[in-house]
Amino acid sequence: MQANTLEAKELPFPVSVYQERVERVRQGMAAAGIEVLLLHSPENLFYISGYNTPGYYYGYQSLVIPLEAEPFMILRRVEESNVRGRSWLSKWDIYTDTDDPIDVAIGALVREKLDRKWIGLNRGTRFLTPAECEKLQAGLPNATFVDGYGLVEALRRVKSEQEIDYLRRAARATEAGMAAGVEAAVEGNSEDDIAAATYSALIRAGSEYPGMPPMIAAGYRSGLAHTTWEGHKRIERGDVVLLEIPAAVQRYHAVFARSVVIGKPPARYREIERVIREAADAAIASIRPGITAAEADHAQRSVIVRAGYSDHFLHRTAYALGIAFPPHWDEGGIMSLKPGNNQVLEPNMVFHLISALYFYAEACFAITETIRVTENGCETITDFPRELIVH
């Protein structure tokens, strides 16, 4: 067990905020009968401790929250500098590249007399493999393992004012990236040119690395979901260029999308523009505290269905935004606006609202926004003309 002798220098929030989060998690643990919670996703570790590194790709890491003792981490030795300098924690165990990290984790839990407790795990996280989960359970035969999913995630749904401030700052950066991308989306330029302009503007406007790259695709490639620049494609007259631009500030993400038409758009494109704009406006008008996620989804989806484009609306209406690390920029696993979801909207929930129609191997037409649920309605955090852009 190591001890922190250095003051953390890069915490996005005061230590008191993290300690309050721990206490709220413990309230949920007590209600669920969980005596020890093991967290593995980088988003949850960041939310609870401030610990921030892309090193989760390279090895096991876990934050252990006992119901009645000090939290501590288990992490790879090379990451120790980050728990020292980028968290408020004062205890951790390290393993080297010749150690088995699960053996180290088991040893730490035994030493702290946590090996006979009810232990909460999120078995669905991508950052705890089935093999690791099985070995933890086999190595702690006197523990009772239960599902701990939701104890942290439920807290992350509703943002504090400081979190909203980071999201607003991210929105300003993504607007700068969008403006630069739109300016570069002209006939003769390549997708590479647009990407270079977008990334430069994002960084200069204050964005950190986002959880996924900007989605930049022209012509038929824009109709291929989640496609971004590659192959040095040149922009041609008649192309539709999709720009879906994320930005991150203190790991809090804002994102929105627009489509750019190169040359005079045909009447059909104008009709599609009308539908997706009306759909987005209908969703924004419907969103307020107290309605369900499914009701908000219906407000947007019904506009698209009435217009006859349901076969081209391929996704949920919105997904939550907040803390994200690669390989994603969203909190959609925590909450989404989609059919059948009866979760109730609350003030300071934040979403990426997606009004977009995909036409395979032709184009994607998108008007999307980062939005916040307010005390009595909905605020659009991103600020950019809500229209098809014509060059």
Side-chain angles (χ1 to χ4, degrees), residues 25-26 28-38 65-67 117-121 144 146-149 151:
V25 170
R26 284 177 170 152
M29 291 168 61
I34 293 173
E35 298 172 288
V36 186
L37 182 64
L38 270 59
I65 304 179
L67 192 58
K117 305 290 188 180
W118 285 63
I119 298 177
L121 290 177
T144 301
V146 296
D147 187 9
Y149 175 77
L151 291 174

Side-chain angles (χ1 to χ4, degrees), residues 114-177:
L114 302 174
D115 56 315
R116 296 176 178 269
K117 305 290 188 180
W118 285 63
I119 298 177
L121 290 177
N122 177 7
R123 295 183 179 91
T125 180
R126 296 179 176 88
F127 302 97
L128 175 66
T129 69
E132 290 168 341
C133 186
E134 290 170 6
K135 185 163 187 178
L136 274 171
Q137 292 174 303
L140 298 167
N142 297 311
T144 301
F145 287 87
V146 296
D147 187 9
Y149 175 77
L151 291 174
V152 177
E153 290 82 359
L155 303 182
R156 287 169 48 198
R157 287 191 195 116
V158 177
K159 273 58 179 179
S160 68
E161 292 303 320
Q162 182 62 72
E163 289 175 298
I164 296 293
D165 179 66
Y166 288 143
L167 283 155
R168 291 190 195 284
R169 288 164 55 184
R172 302 294 80 79
T174 194
E175 291 158 8

Side-chain angles (χ1 to χ4, degrees), residues 352-369:
H352 181 206
L353 179 74
I354 311 163
S355 186
L357 297 177
Y358 284 88
F359 296 84
Y360 173 69
E362 179 187 359
C364 175
F365 300 87
I367 294 176
T368 83
E369 306 285 5

Side-chain angles (χ1 to χ4, degrees), residues 30 56 68 82 102 135 148 217 221 230 243 267 279 290 367:
Y56 53 85
E68 297 179 345
N82 287 315
I102 302 302
K135 185 163 187 178
R221 298 183 69 254
E230 59 188 49
L243 304 174
I367 294 176

Side-chain angles (χ1 to χ4, degrees), residues 9 19 25 43 64-65 172 185 194 232 300 310 318 328 362 371:
K9 302 296 186 183
Q19 293 172 335
V25 170
E43 293 83 10
V64 181
I65 304 179
R172 302 294 80 79
I194 301 172
H232 317 297
Q300 173 164 282
S310 58
H328 62 111
E362 179 187 359
I371 61 168

Side-chain angles (χ1 to χ4, degrees), residues 179-224:
V182 167
E183 184 178 358
V186 295
E187 187 177 2
N189 270 358
S190 68
E191 292 176 345
D192 300 357
D193 295 323
I194 301 172
T198 298
Y199 256 124
S200 178
L202 283 172
I203 294 166
R204 292 177 187 278
S207 178
E208 306 156 12
Y209 68 93
M212 279 199 302
M215 299 297 161
I216 297 168
Y220 77 92
R221 298 183 69 254
S222 72
L224 308 177

Side-chain angles (χ1 to χ4, degrees), residues 12-13 69 97 191 259 261 327 383 389:
F13 304 97
D97 289 346
E191 292 176 345
S259 295
V261 180
D383 182 13
I389 299 162

